[in-house]
Amino acid sequence: MKLIYERSQAGRRGLAVPRPDLPVPPVPDELARREPPRLPEVAEPEVLRHFTELSTRNYGIDTGFYPLGSCTMKYNPRVNERVVALPGFRDLHPLVNEDAAQGALELEWRLQELLRELTGLDAVSLQPAAGSQGELTGLLLMRAYFADRGEDEQRRRIVIPDTAHGTNPASVTMAGYELTKVATDARGNVDLDDLRANVDEHTAGLMLTNPSTLGLFDENIEAIRDVFHDAGALMYYDGANLNAVCGISRPGDMGFDIVHINLHKTFSQPHGGGGPGGGPIAVGARLEPFLPVPALIRKDDGSFGLDFDRPKTIGKVRGFTGPFGVFVRSYAYIRRYGPQLREMSEAAVLNANYLLARLKDAYELPFDRLCMHEFVLSARNLKRDSGVSALDVAKRLMDYGIHPPTIYFPLIVPEALMIEPTETEPKERLDDFCDAMLLIATEAATAPEVLHEAPHTRPVTRLDEVKAAKRVVVRYGFEAHPNLAEAGQEA
Ligand SMILES: Cc1ncc(COP(=O)(O)O)c(C=O)c1O
């Protein structure tokens, strides 16, 4: 497909801009461009055709099934978009004074209350803009809490299971802590012996994802809690996988002190490619004084406002009160279910177990248990028998019009395929996916070379994965710049 610059013909115009009525102020010499910008010269219908064609090459949840394990690509109801586009929300300036923003503040306060209820904890900050920022904020809260008790220098370590999402260890390091890794046992739970051997008076806390990235609910939560409570440490719950347990179990009831919620995963948000997201944190009462400012409060007269008067706060972690458009959509999603929110999680878990039951004979299942909202298969049997890898399976799925699942994660499962269907997929779609996966398992035995070269039907066929990751050409005209090309610079 041609670039828009390659469609350019000198003198073609898409639209005529009217001459301004007012005098145009002169641009100071030092700010003026020396040459006019090189813009494509294309007529309007050609522009439209170009971008429409481009959009058909994209694949999203609105195009088809998108079982990207750990990333929760669920359908975003259109009513959310209507609500967020209401002029009162859409046109609100972040610096407007409190009196003129009561509706928006009330929505945020109500969302806080819902998250408090869902997590079983005492206070919420909506500020963090992503799960990973929620993690960092939570760890900074731990530091502030122990510093307040004079224990920050003594407690330097955070314990993380080896199944953790990569952001967990990264956040630990950013917060200035040291990492202690613990193993997973044969049933997919945290290995309790390894845990006990690694927790002591130097431990600040645990970061646990539950359900884990294996899609399993840890069967020993209470024993884990006792280990940390006995050591005087705190417990952080990575709630990125809350989609499996909403209205069913609560981190606060299990003894956790801090949890982050990925609004963009659990409560629908058109995300991907880096945003937008929301990673609010909920905490127990002893950590509330350290939460970011401003705190969003309901005052005694029933109005809503921002409270900056929190002497022990860790400070601000994001501009204003957080990503407002994300809050509106997530609030709308939760309210749509109302008191039946647990049905969301039940359907997500049922859908995942349906796929698991249909696929577990054709692929290896490293932990043979009922799963939660996602599960991990291994293509190790295909690799051993016919040299077909998880990557080949993922690429071949694209030929059948399905987005590949997450692959090679979690790291402890070789040839991992991590599958998450979400609650919004009907049975026919689930069956299409299973049929494709079973067909691929057959093809692996009969025509492995077809899989090695897949995809065959997409606009872009098999890429050199290493080159694509290491030499991303993100700039038109890269090849035309000999200096860059010769130096082989990575973008
Ligand atoms: C288990 C887990 N923790 C943390 C994160 C980080 O969330 P975010 O991508 O919003 O930073 C993710 C993201 O997918 C996740 O799956």
Side-chain angles (χ1 to χ4, degrees):
M1 187 181 159
K2 281 185 175 172
L3 298 174
I4 188 92
Y5 283 93
E6 291 162 346
R7 288 177 177 247
S8 180
Q9 296 288 336
R12 296 265 164 84
R13 287 288 174 274
L15 82 165
V17 184
R19 288 195 168 282
D21 290 340
L22 298 170
V24 181
V27 179
D29 275 354
E30 68 275 19
L31 297 180
R33 275 191 78 108
R34 279 166 203 91
E35 312 140 18
R38 198 169 77 79
L39 297 174
E41 297 177 78
V42 192
E44 185 173 315
E46 286 295 296
V47 175
L48 233 122
R49 285 180 189 140
H50 175 73
F51 286 106
T52 305
E53 190 185 341
L54 256 188
S55 74
T56 62
R57 293 175 159 227
N58 201 2
Y59 190 100
I61 188 72
D62 294 345
T63 323
F65 190 53
Y66 206 136
L68 200 62
S70 185
C71 294
T72 317
M73 291 292 168
K74 63 167 72 173
Y75 175 68
N76 299 286
R78 288 304 177 265
V79 67
N80 293 3
E81 300 308 312
R82 290 191 66 173
V83 176
V84 80
L86 290 172
F89 290 142
R90 186 193 60 204
D91 301 338
L92 198 63
H93 193 281
L95 289 175
V96 79
N97 65 28
E98 281 176 16
D99 290 351
Q102 284 298 302
L105 292 173
E106 179 170 356
L107 181 140
E108 292 188 346
W109 182 82
R110 286 181 182 276
L111 181 61
Q112 279 185 184
E113 289 299 291
L114 286 167
L115 298 179
R116 236 161 45 84
E117 171 76 28
L118 279 168
T119 55
L121 285 159
D122 301 306
V124 170
S125 169
L126 296 178
Q127 269 188 38
S132 41
Q133 203 192 7
E135 293 167 22
L136 179 63
T137 308
L139 290 163
L140 294 176
L141 292 179
M142 282 196 191
R143 290 206 64 175
Y145 171 80
F146 284 122
D148 195 48
R149 295 162 59 92
E151 291 177 43
D152 187 42
E153 283 189 18
Q154 169 201 328
R155 296 188 182 271
R156 301 301 318 138
R157 295 201 206 117
I158 300 286
V159 175
I160 296 190
D162 56 5
T163 50
H165 192 260
T167 50
N168 287 190
S171 300
V172 168
T173 308
M174 280 182 81
Y177 277 125
E178 287 156 29
L179 192 73
T180 304
K181 205 155 90 170
V182 292
T184 298
D185 71 13
R187 281 190 60 75
N189 300 314
V190 171
D191 185 317
L192 278 178
D193 293 333
D194 196 23
L195 186 72
R196 290 194 181 103
N198 275 294
V199 177
D200 57 25
E201 71 279 10
H202 299 295
T203 307
L206 163 76
M207 278 186 104
L208 184 74
T209 306
N210 191 48
S212 69
T213 60
L214 294 167
L216 301 174
F217 194 101
D218 202 293
E219 295 167 310
N220 305 316
I221 283 286
E222 284 159 351
I224 293 173
R225 177 197 57 206
D226 293 345
V227 172
F228 284 86
H229 282 182
D230 291 351
L234 292 169
M235 307 233 302
Y236 183 102
Y237 189 104
D238 178 330
N241 291 339
L242 213 67
N243 207 41
V245 294
C246 275
I248 300 167
S249 68
R250 308 193 305 172
D253 299 339
M254 298 175 214
F256 283 84
D257 303 282
I258 311 172
V259 53
H260 84 254
I261 303 118
N262 282 33
L263 292 180
H264 45 295
K265 292 174 61 173
T266 307
F267 300 123
S268 86
Q269 209 70 227
H271 69 295
I281 48 170
V283 299
R286 58 182 167 156
L287 289 155
E288 184 176 1
F290 307 99
L291 280 177
V293 282
L296 214 141
I297 52 163
R298 181 152 74 169
K299 300 179 189 165
D300 292 341
D301 65 2
S303 67
F304 301 90
L306 302 178
D307 180 13
F308 286 85
D309 187 17
R310 304 270 164 136
K312 293 189 175 180
T313 176
I314 59 164
K316 262 173 112 51
V317 299
R318 196 187 190 277
F320 306 102
T321 51
F324 183 67
V326 172
F327 302 153
V328 179
R329 292 187 184 88
S330 289
Y331 184 71
Y333 195 76
I334 297 172
R335 291 303 300 266
R336 208 159 148 265
Y337 278 96
Q340 281 79 44
L341 188 61
R342 69 179 289 156
E343 283 177 10
M344 170 187 93
S345 294
E346 285 168 351
V349 172
L350 181 64
N351 279 358
N353 278 288
Y354 179 71
L355 297 187
L356 175 66
R358 279 204 62 192
L359 296 176
K360 71 178 197 176
D361 293 335
Y363 294 83
E364 275 188 23
L365 180 62
F367 301 98
D368 194 358
R369 283 167 53 183
L370 279 180
C371 67
M372 300 300 288
H373 64 306
E374 63 190 358
F375 60 100
V376 180
L377 293 175
S378 168
R380 194 168 40 180
N381 54 334
L382 307 192
K383 181 93 178 174
R384 189 184 51 232
D385 299 343
S386 43
V388 165
S389 64
L391 179 71
D392 294 336
V393 174
K395 296 285 185 191
R396 185 62 171 152
L397 271 171
M398 294 163 76
D399 280 334
Y400 295 117
I402 293 170
H403 194 284
T406 298
I407 51 175
Y408 300 108
F409 180 76
L411 302 176
I412 61 167
V413 175
E415 299 299 323
L417 293 153
M418 187 187 196
I419 298 163
E420 179 178 8
T422 81
E423 70 277 9
T424 39
E425 293 300 334
K427 181 169 176 295
E428 311 84 75
R429 285 290 182 185
L430 302 179
D431 281 329
D432 289 346
F433 173 68
C434 291
D435 293 346
M437 286 288 285
L438 296 175
L439 187 58
I440 291 170
T442 314
E443 286 177 335
T446 55
E449 65 290 348
V450 174
L451 273 63
H452 295 320
E453 286 158 25
H456 302 270
T457 60
R458 309 307 301 172
V460 177
T461 50
R462 181 67 71 107
L463 292 172
D464 177 335
E465 297 281 322
V466 177
K467 199 169 167 194
K470 294 210 159 185
R471 276 199 62 190
V472 189
V473 180
V474 291
R475 185 175 182 281
Y476 175 62
F478 180 88
E479 300 305 342
H481 284 269
N483 294 348
L484 281 176
E486 269 166 31
Q489 292 191 14
E490 292 165 17

